[in-house]
Amino acid sequence: MAVTSRNVVADYFVRFSHEVGDPITNLKLQKLVYYAQAWHLALQGERLIADPFQAWVHGPVCPPLYQRFRPYGWNPISESVERPALPDAVEAHLREVMEVYGGFSAWELERLTHAEAPWRNARGDLAPDEASTRVISEDDMRSFYAARAAA
């Protein structure tokens, strides 16, 4: 399967959130896109998006996607986006990510990623509030979430 654009994946989550009346912030969006990538690596053995995630203080972040929505700060994303045309398998995958993680708040998703090995491994010995651009290993993501899927 071809890699999907980070913006298309983000647009799916933003549009979905608007349709169900559940505002989404940049913080929450970052975690949903991260989980979409992580589970795609685990279940399909390949990337969903080409961009790496970095282990920032508040959890995994895709920097170009962060920059796109940065003007919203901590506020809900109000940008009007069209529902992207996606292959059925990708749309089903993203819908499943929303079903599993969409009900969590941004803060809960941040806490969840902080408790998981891929983000922790990338952070290493950094202080909790220390800025970082360390990349979260896709191999760590694949093996961690594949093990969770098998459990």
Side-chain angles (χ1 to χ4, degrees), residues 4-148:
T4 305
S5 157
R6 68 178 171 266
N7 287 316
V8 169
V9 172
D11 287 352
Y12 176 87
F13 288 132
V14 170
R15 180 65 183 206
F16 187 99
S17 295
H18 288 176
E19 287 174 357
V20 300
D22 186 16
I24 187 170
T25 61
N26 196 359
L27 180 66
K28 183 170 182 174
L29 179 63
Q30 292 295 325
K31 306 314 166 259
L32 292 174
V33 176
Y34 168 78
Y35 279 122
Q37 175 83 324
W39 283 105
H40 202 270
L41 285 164
L43 300 173
Q44 305 301 321
E46 60 188 13
R47 295 172 162 180
L48 176 64
I49 66 171
D51 303 275
F53 283 83
Q54 295 178 356
W56 287 19
V57 170
H58 293 286
V61 171
C62 174
L65 200 56
Y66 172 82
Q67 290 303 323
R68 175 182 168 194
F69 294 106
R70 184 178 184 177
Y72 294 99
W74 295 98
N75 298 308
I77 297 167
S78 59
E79 181 177 323
S80 180
V81 297
E82 296 296 318
R83 179 176 285 279
L86 293 165
D88 290 344
V90 172
E91 186 161 358
H93 177 71
L94 297 180
R95 179 170 280 282
E96 186 171 1
V97 168
M98 279 304 288
E99 288 173 0
V100 173
Y101 296 101
F104 291 104
S105 71
W107 184 84
E108 290 168 325
L109 290 172
E110 179 180 327
R111 302 275 48 98
L112 194 58
T113 59
H114 284 199
E116 295 171 344
W119 181 84
R120 287 194 341 258
N121 291 346
R123 294 284 301 173
D125 60 357
L126 293 174
D129 60 349
E130 188 173 345
S132 169
T133 58
R134 292 181 181 174
V135 172
I136 299 172
S137 162
E138 288 182 3
D139 287 338
D140 279 359
M141 292 164 69
R142 182 181 295 108
S143 62
F144 179 81
Y145 295 100
R148 291 190 67 189

